[in-house]
Amino acid sequence: MPYTDPTFLASCRTGTRLLHDARHRTEHGETSDAIFPTSGFVYDSAEQAEATFEGTIQHLQYSRYGNPTVDALQDRLALLEGAEACQTTSTGMGAVSCALLAHLKAGDRIVASSALFGSTHWLLDSLLPSYGIETVMIDGTNPAAWEEALSRPAKAVLIETPSNPMLDVLDIRHIATLAHKAGALFMVDNVFATPVGQKPLELGADVVIYSCTKHIDGQGRVMGGAILGSQKWITETLQPFVRNTGNTLSPFNAWVLSKGLETLQLRVEAMARNAARIADVLGDLPGITAVRYPGRKDHPQAKLAHTQMSNGGTLIAFTVANGKKGAFACLNAFQLIAISNNLGDARSLATHPATTTHRKLTQEQRNALGITDGSIRFSVGLEDAEDLIADIRRGAEAALRAGR
Ligand SMILES: *Cc1c(COP(=O)(O)O)cnc(C)c1O
């Protein structure tokens, strides 16, 4: 029993379809989606099992290959992104590593921006070279560096925009043109912007990657990852890798993430409104020496952010006085904002990248990314903006006192 007539639903807008597109209502008529926590599926006959394995009929085989709850999430994510196909994974890093390892082979070359999530940086810096894959990491905000790096053939290009943690904004359209000229598949990790705030496929990307752990769950409950792209690439290149190496999302996590999608737009837009309001006043607080927010006019790529993002995002990077001592005093003085390296949560979270997420980089690498000892990455939640501003004021005053 479908929730709503599928033909009628297809005529509705994306937000409506995300709420009503559920194909698996059982005979009980439940309002919320049913969940299918099962590892396997039974066949009516030996003939049906044979036909399933031959591929002459469509029948679920095994949850490592497909599961109704996981498939429903994949369909919704593809709909939201405007992608032909989606493959989920157990975590966001599962998505990044599967996309790279499925696509690249020994002798291939990948070009990436150097401002990457910590584990992604490790994949490019340590793992891929050990498999004979050449990795080139450049300053993603420098157009000349892209032109130089992509003047030679490459198999893949990977970026994050806005980047972690300093929120650099990279020119997706320009990089897409260069990547395609070099023969590369262009992958964008869109976690910071979210599917609501930026549409990389419309700007020229071939593959979009998510950690669903972040805004898509958005309530700090489960981990998950997703890779979106063309039907051909997902089916022929990615799926054999994911299915045979076993990077599978659990039905329970898929169910939680599907529920997250019902309120994603509402949450992300409210968080971005909060972030814009806070970023506006942050620069005037004593004890804060710098503010980075893609929605602020003084962001180095403010104009670009305006053309490729639909809002300024839900993250702010700011610097407090007195270096590490100041940053620690600030974090420890917060009453509301929790110290956590997670992000995209309904609750506001802050982290000190230099000693946590980006601890493994050398001082030189951190300098190049603009991460100072006083930098704090702030993931803005759904609390009242004025309460958050009061909390940051408390933190910034503590940072000032730390210098005395
Ligand atoms: C969190 C994150 C990841 C990794 O996701 P996990 O779900 O933690 O494995 C990858 N890229 C970005 C930009 C992230 O923020």
Side-chain angles (χ1 to χ4, degrees), residues 26-320:
T26 72
E27 70 274 20
H28 302 297
E30 63 281 352
T31 317
S32 180
D33 285 14
I35 174 170
F36 294 86
T38 178
S39 41
F41 302 89
V42 297
Y43 305 96
D44 292 337
S45 64
E47 286 77 9
Q48 192 187 39
E50 183 188 36
T52 301
F53 275 73
E54 278 174 355
T56 47
I57 61 163
Q58 286 276 322
H59 191 288
L60 287 161
Q61 273 172 288
Y62 193 48
S63 280
R64 176 150 50 76
Y65 281 59
N67 170 284
T69 313
V70 176
D71 293 351
L73 171 67
Q74 291 178 167
D75 288 353
R76 288 175 179 146
L77 284 168
L79 173 71
L80 177 61
E81 196 66 36
E84 286 175 14
C86 172
Q87 171 69 52
T88 52
T89 52
S90 59
T91 64
M93 280 322 299
V96 176
S97 61
C98 285
L100 294 175
L101 292 169
H103 188 69
L104 297 166
K105 294 185 178 50
D108 285 344
R109 179 170 179 268
I110 176 171
V111 179
S113 53
S114 53
L116 294 169
F117 187 71
S119 294
T120 306
H121 199 277
W122 178 84
L123 286 179
L124 273 106
D125 207 36
S126 302
L127 187 77
L128 295 185
S130 78
Y131 288 173
I133 296 157
E134 185 194 345
T135 64
V136 180
M137 286 195 267
I138 59 169
D139 171 5
T141 61
N142 180 357
W146 284 110
E147 273 156 38
E148 203 317 271
L150 292 172
S151 61
R152 288 198 291 131
K155 190 76 189 293
V157 167
L158 173 68
I159 65 162
E160 292 174 17
T161 179
S163 68
N164 181 32
M166 297 312 290
L167 310 174
D168 290 328
V169 176
L170 276 53
D171 191 340
I172 299 178
R173 279 193 192 87
H174 182 238
I175 300 166
T177 307
L178 296 172
H180 293 147
K181 251 195 251 164
L185 186 82
F186 180 27
M187 309 181 181
V188 176
D189 178 331
N190 203 39
V191 167
F192 273 45
T194 84
V196 171
Q198 181 168 268
K199 299 283 186 203
L201 297 179
E202 288 173 14
L203 299 166
D206 303 302
V207 171
V208 181
I209 299 172
Y210 288 105
S211 163
C212 301
T213 317
K214 310 296 165 55
H215 304 79
I216 291 175
D217 173 30
Q219 289 149 88
R221 300 164 297 192
V222 300
M223 304 199 78
I227 307 156
L228 298 109
S230 72
Q231 187 73 56
K232 184 175 160 60
W233 185 79
I234 297 274
T235 322
E236 292 175 12
T237 304
L238 185 68
Q239 261 174 9
F241 185 90
V242 172
R243 290 178 170 186
N244 292 305
T245 56
N247 202 317
T248 310
L249 185 66
S250 87
F252 176 75
N253 287 9
W255 181 83
V256 173
L257 294 170
S258 269
K259 297 304 278 181
L261 282 184
E262 293 182 1
T263 56
L264 179 70
Q265 179 161 353
L266 198 65
R267 284 184 286 109
V268 168
E269 285 176 356
M271 286 153 82
R273 266 199 309 278
N274 260 359
R277 158 89 184 115
I278 294 165
D280 227 20
V281 300
L282 219 54
D284 300 329
L285 298 185
I288 293 186
T289 56
V291 181
R292 263 287 182 101
Y293 181 63
R296 262 175 75 110
K297 282 198 189 69
D298 62 355
H299 186 281
Q301 297 95 29
K303 251 172 108 177
L304 175 62
H306 192 70
T307 63
Q308 71 181 22
M309 297 169 71
S310 60
N311 58 54
T314 69
L315 286 118
I316 302 171
F318 61 89
T319 309
V320 295

